[in-house]
Amino acid sequence: LTGVEGSTVRVSVVTPNQAARVLAIRRARAEVPSLEDVKILDATSGVAYLKIPAFQKTTAQDLEAALWDLHRRGMRSLVIDLRGNPGGLLTASVEVADKFIAGGGIVETRGRSEQENFNYRAHRPGTWRVPLVVLIDGDSASASEIFAGAIKDSGRGVLVGSRSYGKGSVQ
């Protein structure tokens, strides 16, 4: 269904035991938020929470704005929810990890040729030092596993939940 945004398309919907219906649907860009449920869970202890549904181009930038907002509202620790996160952009995952890891490796990639090898490392400027918990589950995959693994391997935070999907690869 390709077409110009704002134009309409007519779609026939067939449901068993019902007459077919024709719907006119207007094409529009679907904006998927890069963060969800940004909030302070417990104002007394300063526990903040946010969910990253997938790692997108804007996730690191949106996260930085959310962290400053949570900081102004009293954040003293943070829970990042990656449950159900299927992954997304490796670069976004690395940028988000770099916000919490002051130095050292985040992830290394190895390809068939030397040009495909990358070593992503953390940079100290702008590192958030709040205590960190990362929630994962069996539907956390790919870039979310890379982020979670970097947090665990660096000793920067604690992973809580169940074993992740097991992809953890870079295509």
Side-chain angles (χ1 to χ4, degrees):
L1 293 174
T2 61
V4 177
E5 188 173 344
S7 65
T8 58
V9 63
R10 295 172 59 83
V11 178
S12 294
V13 178
V14 179
T15 305
N17 302 323
Q18 293 183 10
R21 297 173 293 162
V22 177
L23 304 175
I25 301 172
R26 186 177 59 82
R27 291 181 175 101
R29 180 173 300 277
E31 295 295 330
V32 178
S34 67
L35 301 177
E36 295 176 351
D37 296 330
V38 178
K39 58 189 170 189
I40 297 289
L41 288 177
D42 183 346
T44 304
S45 60
V47 177
Y49 169 93
L50 60 85
K51 182 170 183 65
I52 302 176
F55 287 93
Q56 304 174 44
K57 190 167 134 180
T58 62
T59 302
Q61 178 183 338
D62 294 344
L63 177 64
E64 187 70 16
L67 290 171
W68 280 110
D69 178 57
L70 291 168
H71 173 72
R72 285 188 290 277
R73 292 168 38 202
M75 172 180 68
R76 292 199 302 263
S77 61
L78 177 63
V79 176
I80 297 179
D81 191 346
L82 298 180
R83 293 174 297 176
N85 180 321
L89 298 174
L90 169 67
T91 53
S93 174
V94 168
E95 290 170 359
V96 170
D98 195 14
K99 294 196 176 301
F100 299 101
I101 300 171
I106 293 175
V107 67
E108 291 183 34
T109 63
R110 296 285 173 251
R112 294 183 185 176
S113 69
E114 192 68 28
Q115 296 86 350
E116 296 176 298
N117 296 344
F118 294 99
N119 185 4
Y120 296 96
R121 302 191 61 75
H123 306 90
R124 186 167 306 280
T127 302
W128 288 84
R129 291 177 172 81
V130 294
L132 186 61
V133 172
V134 178
L135 304 179
I136 62 170
D137 66 5
D139 293 323
S140 304
S142 198
S144 64
E145 291 174 302
I146 289 167
F147 173 80
I151 296 301
K152 180 181 177 188
D153 290 349
S154 67
R156 180 56 189 81
V158 177
L159 301 187
V160 176
S162 56
R163 184 179 298 273
S164 63
Y165 183 81
K167 184 177 177 191
S169 65
V170 179
Q171 281 101 11

